[in-house]
Amino acid sequence: MSSRIPTSTSVTESAVINAPLSAVWHLIKLQDFHHFWTKLEKSHHVKGTSHETDVVKWTFKDGTVLEVKQEEQSTIDHFITYSVITATPALSYTSVISTIRCFAVTSGQHEGSTFVQWSGNFSSDADAGVIEDARFKRKEALADLATAVAKK
């Protein structure tokens, strides 16, 4: 019998950002995340990868380094999907694929704003601590995104 507590291996966080879609979408590029996410020290393209593959290195202020691969992007539907391909220190789970989607809010009290949804789907070996950490980091990054857009 396993002592592991069963948990969902996905997380989705969202926010309404008080800025038009064009202002928010402009920052949703893997190499530009350091312009809004305060936990990132820097983010830049990794040289030496295939010209068909976009790989970006994220260096966090706590010393963690992730290389993320852009899996899919749509400038029409305003979403980006990426996966973590390397991590230092190593991750405690096998894989994660994340998607950020942006939607223009077209009516109601938030008309002219942007609804942003950031989801992550983890491999089945991710535990509850990993999921809660991902939830917290997404909430924090979305708050940072709102702050960054408000400054412009």
Side-chain angles (χ1 to χ4, degrees), residues 52-98:
E52 296 175 5
T53 305
D54 284 331
V55 176
V56 173
K57 182 181 282 189
W58 288 347
T59 304
F60 290 84
K61 292 177 181 174
D62 71 358
T64 301
V65 177
L66 300 179
E67 285 190 358
V68 294
K69 177 184 173 198
Q70 183 172 299
E71 301 289 353
E72 187 174 14
Q73 178 190 13
S74 174
T75 56
I76 295 170
D77 293 325
H78 301 102
F79 74 87
I80 187 168
T81 299
Y82 65 92
S83 61
V84 175
I85 57 173
T86 66
T88 305
L91 301 174
S92 63
Y93 49 92
T94 307
S95 65
V96 59
I97 190 159
S98 299

Side-chain angles (χ1 to χ4, degrees), residues 9-79:
T9 57
S10 65
V11 62
T12 300
E13 292 300 327
S14 61
V16 174
I17 308 291
N18 191 21
L21 175 63
S22 59
V24 175
W25 179 244
H26 179 70
L27 293 174
I28 308 299
K29 293 168 185 52
L30 296 177
Q31 70 275 10
D32 292 336
F33 274 36
H34 70 281
H35 291 301
F36 73 87
W37 197 357
T38 60
K39 296 295 182 187
L40 274 180
E41 183 176 312
K42 59 186 173 180
S43 53
H44 59 86
H45 281 285
V46 175
K47 301 209 185 304
T49 57
S50 164
H51 68 280
E52 296 175 5
T53 305
D54 284 331
V55 176
V56 173
K57 182 181 282 189
W58 288 347
T59 304
F60 290 84
K61 292 177 181 174
D62 71 358
T64 301
V65 177
L66 300 179
E67 285 190 358
V68 294
K69 177 184 173 198
Q70 183 172 299
E71 301 289 353
E72 187 174 14
Q73 178 190 13
S74 174
T75 56
I76 295 170
D77 293 325
H78 301 102
F79 74 87

